[in-house]
Amino acid sequence: MIRPPHLRLLLGLGACLLAAARLGAVTELDIPVFAGGYGIAFYEETARRFEQARPDVRIRLYGDPRIADQLRIRLIDGNPPDAAAAADILWPQLIRAGRLLNLAPFLARDRNWEGDRRWGDTFLPGALDAWKLADGTYGLPFSYACWTVFYDRKFFRQHHLAPAVTWDEFFALCERIRRLGRAPLAVPGVYLRYTDCLLRSAWCSLAGAGAWPEYRNSAPGIYLDPRFLRSVETWQRLAPYFSPGWQGLTHTAAQRELLEGRAAMNISGSWMVNEMKGKFPEGFELGAMRLPVFADGQGDPRLLQVGSDYFFVFATGDRVKERATVDFLRFLTSRERAEAWVRRVDSPVAVRGVPLAAYSERMRDTAQLIEESTSAINVAADLSQPPAIRQALTDARLRLMRGEITPREFGERLEAAAEAERHRAAQPGWVDYRHPVAGTLLLGLLAGFGGWLAWKQWRRRSARKGRGESGGEEGAGFARLRPRMAIGFVGPGFLLYAALVIAPGVAAWLWAFTHWDGLNPPRWAGTYNFRWLLFESDVFWSALANNAFLMVVPAVVVVPLALLLATLIHRGVWGAHVFRAVFLFPNLLGGVAATLLWLGAYEPHGGIVNAGLVALGQVLDNDWLRSFEGYPWLAQSHLYWALVPIYLWMACGFNLILYLAAMEGIDAQLYEAAELDGASPVRQFFQITLPMIWEILVVSAVFLVIAGLNAFEMVWLLTSQDPTTTAHTLGTLLVATMFKEFAIGRATAIAVVLFVLVFAASAAVMRSLRREAVET
């Protein structure tokens, strides 16, 4: 028996061992970062250096360009990392839900890594403003992206052009450049939001930086303010000076317009220099000028528009990890690391004290602008605007630049979207019945089709009973399994299927009747999500129309062409084996890789599609073909017709293989008999081949219907993940609602509607084609 003194000794020894274990314990941090134009090599190096300074900490730092998608899933799952740097996350919702750590106490109390000043005083003007709210500061900046007008310095010097300061000077400059035979301004129509910096510049020039929060927060009446309308009018006046084909340019293509001499200026952030590293022509001289201001404006003419890669620390409740994460961010924002960042990636940093000599010659102008500035607005918190207002801005922006609406109409659309959001916030269950006829008609059609299918099934069963037939095939030699044996065969597989498919499906159907953002507990919403989709949402009906287009138009082209090619290969055309591999090759790439290939092929300048059409026009002396020079295939007004060749390229091979496999199963004696009877190859196709492969045609038609309704990745990538209302599909709408808005209830309602539509359309196709087969 252990006596009390011995027990106390053992307990003391155990406490000492536990304390020693804690002292030797390693704190592991999980930090995903966005791997955009800057990459993550610098952050990884910084993590390794911090580990050397703090042996008790290990950092798992990783990232890729799609890290935000992975992070959203983790957040909804309730498994956040320790910190993250990613754009396009609804950080305001996370702040309101108490999921992020307030950094204000650390910025006010802690010293910087060097220990010579308060940590919060080490940042440049405006750097901390984006996520500084009334109750604290939640985002920590590092990179300091500055919006400027980049220009070809050599071209300006050769033609005695000077950088503009005011809007009048800027328009005069654009006119002179156009007369010199060069496009004045290259902008990315696919990323048209890049041009928002010009609108912000005009607004802050007229109203002052103090009015920036009103714009950002969509204050009542802000979009109809005369100063805002004047800013929009000035912004719209720039459209005639955009480079040809601007609607189809990605941001890198727009930057190449400048570097390759087709445009004299380009709107971009300071990340452009790093992003285009290795692509600058030899001897190219890059200059940067401030965004223009009004001569009679009230704002600071040296005001900068800045953004940043912000780091957010998650409030996990583990004080040791939170303290270690904050210490890592203090190390990251040290002067030594800040200067190392500038020298490595050649881009500004949000930390004071980096010498001008650390910047390359190409970044020297931007660095000088930052040094001369005394005020800045941070545009990174545009995500604080409600998604409905951002969608309205995306739609109205494109129409404004195409001249389809006036500045007044632009303001009215944004004001209406903002007013609807305020109304919805006051009355969460409110629905504006904009589409009562269409919504009622769709519900009626689905209900009627479901009733018709049920009636047909009932009639079939009644007819069988009247004839005394059983459910099985007579004479098939099979008997019904006894219940216990059937459960033994089917039960394990059914349980697995129920756990992995049926249960999540039922849960999703239940979510569709809730208000839920994945962060707070769900609230019962009844049929609100469905009523909002069917009767109020403009984007739902536009997306449904686009899905119908992708369901019908590609099929009309793919099926006949695949049938023709399969028939030729079946008939033994020369090179049949090679053609099989060639036509199937696109399916080996996958949808994302194939879409990225076409993204390059559709570029207005240098893309293989326009280059090929123009070259053919030169050979044939055809003006219509030559007119495709700079044609913007990826403009959202042309997007869906541009998808048809992609669908043809990707779907033709798969359907060809289906049809060819069916054709090779046809007895050759049928064709021999038909030839003896004098039947031509065409008649053989319609009298033998087509009837014999009809069931496969039905299957391929169903596949095409499902692919059209589930269309997502091509549209998502070709619109740079920011489709306008007229460019959405139900798939992109679902993903945007789920992962950009965190409106999980509404997103699952879209999924339920999509499931019903896929089921109904597939059943309709199978029933209609089966009837045609019987009649044949």
Side-chain angles (χ1 to χ4, degrees):
M1 179 178 180
I2 299 177
R3 296 178 180 179
H6 296 90
L7 180 59
R8 287 195 297 269
L9 179 62
L10 288 175
L11 290 175
L13 180 61
C16 291
L17 290 174
L18 183 59
R22 285 181 176 176
L23 287 174
V26 174
T27 301
E28 296 185 356
L29 303 181
D30 181 28
I31 304 179
V33 298
F34 172 65
Y38 301 131
I40 64 169
F42 174 83
Y43 294 123
E44 289 176 331
E45 176 193 315
T46 301
R48 303 293 82 80
R49 291 199 177 200
F50 180 74
E51 289 172 348
Q52 293 173 7
R54 288 282 303 271
D56 61 320
V57 177
R58 291 289 180 271
I59 299 177
R60 178 174 175 259
L61 192 146
Y62 55 96
D64 63 52
R66 296 287 180 264
I67 198 67
D69 298 334
Q70 303 170 30
L71 184 56
R72 291 186 192 106
I73 295 172
R74 290 187 61 176
L75 294 175
I76 292 173
D77 191 44
N79 179 32
D82 296 294
D88 215 8
I89 297 288
L90 286 182
W91 299 113
Q93 284 186 294
L94 292 168
I95 294 171
R96 289 194 294 269
R99 301 296 183 89
L100 297 179
L101 186 66
N102 181 6
L103 298 175
F106 301 96
L107 291 166
R109 181 182 63 237
D110 290 5
R111 309 296 286 178
N112 63 346
W113 191 258
E114 291 81 6
D116 56 6
R117 66 173 65 182
R118 194 170 63 95
W119 189 25
D121 295 334
T122 62
F123 296 95
L124 290 171
L128 290 169
D129 293 347
W131 299 105
K132 182 182 289 184
L133 306 179
D135 61 340
T137 301
Y138 293 90
L140 190 81
F142 185 64
S143 67
Y144 195 72
C146 176
W147 286 92
T148 58
V149 181
F150 287 106
Y151 65 94
D152 185 340
R153 187 189 295 276
K154 184 182 292 185
F155 177 81
F156 270 52
R157 186 173 60 249
Q158 290 172 348
H159 296 90
H160 309 290
L161 303 174
V165 176
T166 68
W167 278 107
D168 289 338
E169 292 173 357
F170 193 76
F171 285 118
L173 176 63
C174 289
E175 192 60 40
R176 285 191 62 190
I177 292 171
R178 184 162 64 177
R179 287 200 298 266
L180 290 170
R182 186 178 288 199
L185 194 60
V187 301
V190 177
Y191 291 81
L192 194 56
R193 58 184 177 271
Y194 270 44
T195 65
D196 288 1
C197 65
L198 297 165
L199 174 61
R200 293 190 293 259
S201 175
W203 166 252
C204 290
S205 175
L206 288 175
W212 164 243
E214 298 178 27
Y215 172 84
R216 192 181 71 185
N217 298 326
S218 303
I222 189 70
Y223 298 119
L224 296 179
D225 187 303
R227 296 169 299 178
F228 180 77
L229 296 179
R230 182 183 172 189
S231 302
V232 175
E233 181 183 6
T234 303
W235 186 34
Q236 186 185 38
R237 283 180 57 195
L238 286 171
Y241 298 110
F242 293 168
S243 54
W246 63 269
Q247 293 186 58
L249 291 176
T250 62
H251 70 289
T252 53
Q255 290 163 3
R256 287 200 303 272
E257 292 283 294
L258 171 65
L259 302 187
E260 294 170 6
R262 289 188 292 272
M265 296 180 291
N266 171 247
I267 301 292
S268 186
S270 50
W271 59 80
M272 175 189 137
V273 175
N274 179 267
E275 194 169 47
M276 303 304 288
K277 185 181 293 183
K279 299 177 183 177
F280 281 88
E282 186 176 351
F284 186 89
E285 299 178 26
L286 184 69
M289 71 176 82
R290 294 184 187 277
L291 298 170
V293 297
F294 288 103
D296 58 343
Q298 304 299 312
D300 180 3
R302 294 188 175 186
L303 177 78
L304 287 180
Q305 293 182 41
V306 298
S308 182
D309 286 341
Y310 279 83
F311 283 83
F312 297 85
V313 181
F314 287 89
T316 60
D318 188 330
R319 300 304 178 196
V320 175
K321 279 194 168 189
E322 290 174 358
R323 180 68 255 185
T325 305
V326 170
D327 286 344
F328 170 69
L329 295 180
R330 286 175 54 235
F331 178 73
L332 175 66
T333 55
S334 64
R335 286 194 295 272
E336 182 273 328
R337 289 284 81 200
E339 183 173 344
W341 165 271
V342 170
R343 292 188 183 278
R344 169 171 287 197
V345 306
D346 202 16
S347 186
V349 69
V351 179
R352 298 178 187 271
V354 177
L356 194 61
Y359 293 91
S360 73
E361 186 63 34
R362 291 186 180 125
M363 281 302 301
R364 205 63 60 81
D365 280 2
T366 301
Q368 189 68 42
L369 294 178
I370 293 173
E371 189 171 299
E372 294 172 355
S373 177
T374 57
S375 60
I377 60 168
N378 199 303
V379 300
D382 280 353
L383 288 173
S384 62
Q385 290 183 314
I389 296 178
R390 284 188 282 145
Q391 183 67 59
L393 177 59
T394 297
D395 298 341
R397 181 197 297 123
L398 181 61
R399 299 199 66 185
L400 179 79
M401 290 304 174
R402 292 200 307 225
E404 297 172 359
I405 60 175
T406 65
R408 181 78 187 182
E409 291 170 328
F410 176 88
E412 289 172 349
R413 289 172 184 232
L414 293 188
E415 190 64 34
E419 178 59 31
E421 281 301 302
R422 289 189 288 269
H423 196 319
R424 200 178 312 282
Q427 301 181 26
W430 173 70
V431 174
D432 181 8
Y433 286 84
R434 300 179 193 165
H435 307 282
V437 176
T440 304
L441 184 61
L442 179 60
L443 287 175
L445 285 174
L446 291 174
F449 182 70
W452 178 77
L453 283 179
W455 177 72
K456 292 287 289 184
Q457 189 69 17
W458 176 79
R459 281 195 60 188
R460 186 181 297 111
R461 289 186 177 182
S462 299
R464 284 180 177 177
K465 288 182 180 179
R467 295 193 299 267
E469 296 178 1
S470 63
E473 294 284 342
E474 288 189 6
F478 295 102
R480 289 182 179 274
L481 287 174
R482 292 189 300 274
R484 291 183 180 179
M485 185 175 292
I487 291 173
F489 278 113
V490 179
F494 176 77
L495 289 176
L496 186 64
Y497 182 79
L500 298 179
V501 178
I502 297 178
V506 171
W509 278 70
L510 294 177
W511 291 345
F513 296 94
T514 65
H515 290 296
W516 188 33
D517 61 3
L519 305 174
N520 298 298
R523 294 178 291 110
W524 182 254
T527 60
Y528 167 77
N529 291 319
F530 295 99
R531 287 185 290 114
W532 184 88
L533 282 174
L534 296 175
F535 298 108
E536 177 177 346
S537 176
D538 297 329
V539 67
F540 170 80
W541 288 103
S542 177
L544 185 59
N546 290 332
N547 279 111
F549 177 92
L550 293 177
M551 189 171 59
V552 174
V553 175
V556 170
V557 181
V558 167
V559 172
L561 184 59
L563 268 177
L564 173 63
L565 294 174
T567 303
L568 292 175
I569 293 175
H570 180 59
R571 288 282 180 175
V573 69
W574 181 84
H577 295 292
V578 175
F579 288 137
R580 290 189 193 199
V582 169
F583 289 128
L584 193 60
F585 172 73
N587 297 96
L588 304 179
L589 292 177
V592 173
T595 303
L596 294 176
L597 282 177
W598 280 90
L599 186 65
Y602 273 143
E603 281 194 4
H605 302 286
I608 190 173
V609 174
N610 283 352
L613 291 172
V614 171
L616 185 62
Q618 297 290 355
V619 172
L620 300 178
D621 193 23
N622 187 293
D623 291 335
W624 180 73
L625 290 173
R626 283 196 289 260
S627 69
F628 282 95
E629 176 71 37
Y631 188 79
W633 289 97
L634 297 182
Q636 301 206 15
S637 56
H638 306 150
L639 179 64
Y640 279 87
W641 286 107
L643 289 177
V644 173
I646 306 179
Y647 265 88
L648 181 63
W649 186 66
M650 293 187 64
C652 192
F654 175 76
N655 287 280
L656 182 150
I657 295 300
L658 279 181
Y659 302 155
L660 187 59
M663 290 177 185
E664 291 181 347
I666 300 174
D667 191 345
Q669 294 180 358
L670 296 175
Y671 292 105
E672 293 173 2
E675 288 179 2
L676 292 175
D677 288 340
S680 66
V682 174
R683 188 171 182 182
Q684 289 178 35
F685 173 79
F686 285 103
Q687 296 295 326
I688 299 175
T689 306
L690 201 57
M692 296 294 288
I693 68 168
W694 189 260
E695 292 301 321
I696 301 300
L697 278 175
V698 173
V699 171
S700 72
V702 171
F703 283 165
L704 289 169
V705 165
I706 294 173
L709 283 171
N710 287 338
F712 165 70
E713 56 196 13
M714 281 192 288
V715 176
W716 191 248
L717 291 173
L718 293 177
T719 58
S720 301
Q721 304 176 43
D722 191 22
T724 62
T725 292
T726 58
H728 264 298
T729 63
L730 291 177
T732 60
L733 179 61
L734 189 157
V735 170
T737 305
M738 183 83 164
F739 296 115
K740 287 192 172 185
E741 302 179 23
F742 280 11
I744 297 177
R746 187 181 300 171
T748 50
I750 297 171
V752 169
V753 172
L754 186 57
F755 169 80
V756 172
L757 290 174
V758 168
F759 177 81
S762 301
V765 169
M766 294 183 70
R767 294 293 303 178
S768 61
L769 291 181
R770 183 174 297 142
R771 287 199 300 272
E772 291 178 9
V774 170
E775 292 169 5
T776 301

